[in-house]
Amino acid sequence: MIGYRVKSLREERKMSISELSAKSGVAKSYISSLERNLQKNPTILVLEKISRILCIKVDALLKEQPDKVMDEEWMEIMQDVMGSGISKEEMREYILDRKNHSF
């Protein structure tokens, strides 16, 4: 059922298999096989690559009831942040700094 969840989440985001493949670095044929349940045992590395692009946690692909996913706008913001080269630590520092200086 992992493949069904990948396909469902990909389609919710109006993303083609080609686009998911290009952004994740996972072969288009592999994603297609996964979505059609021909490939049933993807590695954690593959799941991490796909889940990062879909803006979900890996365990959301593994669970029967996935956690709530980010809305479209948040997903776009997070993809922009990830593509900008800002590290997770730099982002955390920025957020904490903003919290500490809120009025």
Side-chain angles (χ1 to χ4, degrees):
M1 290 311 198
I2 292 171
Y4 173 79
R5 285 188 282 283
V6 169
K7 182 176 183 177
S8 167
L9 291 163
R10 177 183 60 75
E11 288 176 343
E12 278 178 26
R13 286 152 177 76
K14 298 175 179 27
M15 191 179 292
S16 68
I17 290 177
S18 296
E19 187 177 2
L20 179 57
S21 172
K23 289 181 176 185
S24 67
V26 176
K28 186 167 54 170
S29 60
Y30 189 91
I31 294 171
S32 176
S33 294
L34 182 64
E35 289 186 357
R36 291 180 293 135
N37 267 343
L38 300 175
Q39 175 53 257
K40 297 181 182 188
N41 296 310
T43 66
I44 293 297
L45 180 60
V46 166
L47 294 178
E48 286 173 344
K49 289 178 177 183
I50 291 172
S51 65
R52 182 176 51 85
I53 300 306
L54 296 176
C55 295
I56 59 168
K57 295 179 181 179
V58 171
D59 65 343
L61 291 176
L62 300 173
K63 291 182 189 176
E64 287 299 316
Q65 295 292 326
D67 294 335
K68 184 178 176 185
V69 296
M70 288 186 216
D71 67 35
E72 184 95 10
E73 186 177 10
W74 273 112
M75 186 176 77
E76 288 175 17
I77 291 167
M78 292 310 299
Q79 286 178 338
D80 288 345
V81 169
M82 291 181 333
S84 73
I86 296 173
S87 71
K88 286 188 271 186
E89 191 54 43
E90 289 171 323
M91 192 66 191
R92 275 191 196 99
E93 287 175 22
Y94 174 78
I95 292 168
L96 289 173
D97 187 50
R98 298 282 300 171
K99 281 183 181 179
N100 292 334
H101 291 94
S102 297
F103 295 94

